Amino acid sequence: QYLAGAGRARLTDAIAAYQRALRTFDAARHPAEFAILQNNLATAFLSMPVADEKAKIREALAVQAFEEGLKVVTLIDHPAEYAMLQNNLGNALQYASSSHAVENNLRALDAYDEALKVRTRETTPLEYANTIANKANCLMNLPDDPADPAGGNRRNLTEARRCLAEAEAIFATHGEPAKARMIAEPLAELDRELAQAA
């Protein structure tokens, strides 16, 4: 998969290798390894080009792989794998091309909140910052009341702004200036949008 990103291998070969590995690292005997393989498999599906008719199928397969991994790992027994899968499931749901965007984003928020049961500012600050930044992106696309989309999303935008500001500060203080800069632009845009709505 790494080589495919550099144009030196095919993602389909990576997917086949993960599927072969799942025959050995099955859910019953190797839950953590099974979960990691499902995560890698899902990531490979999502890394494939989106500009074809099979893109939606690959997105669905990725969501399914994340969910399969979550069936065998628990918050208590495998917290790191659980949080990784929940965070990545949230990303897959949030960016899926679907006619059910609000429902997908609500499911994504639930997944991020599950990941944040493990990823805390105190114990895993960089992972925490990644997840709250992902959550902020999701909040920006959700109405405050899903039953009344025309009612706006000022509350969600305000919470998204808080999450982005916290993530930016964490990245800046933990030696990730590039990530902090990436957040600065949407943060400034949110500030302008909130100021205009005031």
Side-chain angles (χ1 to χ4, degrees):
Q1 188 170 348
Y2 174 79
L3 290 173
R8 294 170 47 207
R10 297 180 312 173
L11 274 171
T12 51
D13 292 338
I15 289 168
Y18 291 138
Q19 289 170 331
R20 283 192 307 275
L22 283 167
R23 290 185 215 137
T24 300
F25 295 102
D26 62 64
R29 290 180 299 150
H30 305 281
E33 291 82 359
F34 176 85
I36 290 167
L37 283 167
Q38 290 289 359
N39 182 75
N40 293 349
L41 184 60
T43 305
F45 283 131
L46 294 173
S47 298
M48 295 182 88
V50 294
D52 69 22
E53 69 281 355
K54 295 181 181 174
K56 285 188 179 183
I57 294 170
R58 289 195 300 271
E59 288 174 349
L61 288 170
V63 168
Q64 182 182 21
F66 289 130
E67 290 173 338
E68 285 298 312
L70 284 165
K71 287 178 184 175
V72 299
V73 294
T74 65
L75 177 64
I76 303 299
D77 295 331
H78 309 94
E81 292 84 1
Y82 180 84
M84 172 188 66
L85 285 163
Q86 290 285 7
N87 179 74
N88 294 344
L89 172 62
N91 291 343
L93 288 166
Q94 180 180 174
Y95 297 111
S97 49
S98 166
S99 58
H100 307 290
V102 171
E103 292 87 346
N104 280 352
N105 280 332
L106 290 170
R107 285 178 62 200
L109 278 184
D110 289 341
Y112 294 136
D113 287 340
E114 284 298 309
L116 291 170
K117 290 178 180 177
V118 176
R119 295 180 168 189
T120 68
R121 186 170 184 160
E122 296 72 32
T123 59
T124 54
L126 293 175
E127 291 86 349
Y128 170 80
N130 279 325
T131 300
I132 63 172
N134 293 336
K135 182 177 178 177
N137 289 332
C138 190
L139 285 166
M140 287 188 278
N141 296 306
L142 268 175
D144 288 342
D145 179 0
D148 179 25
N153 65 340
R154 182 170 179 80
R155 189 178 70 240
N156 281 341
L157 290 178
T158 302
E159 177 61 11
R161 196 234 171 264
R162 186 198 65 74
C163 289
L164 285 178
E166 185 179 8
E168 181 187 37
I170 292 168
F171 287 136
T173 58
H174 285 82
E176 294 281 355
K179 287 187 176 182
R181 283 192 301 274
M182 278 178 50
I183 287 177
E185 185 179 329
L187 188 54
E189 190 177 316
L190 259 181
D191 283 339
R192 287 190 295 272
E193 194 171 338
L194 287 167
Q196 289 170 358

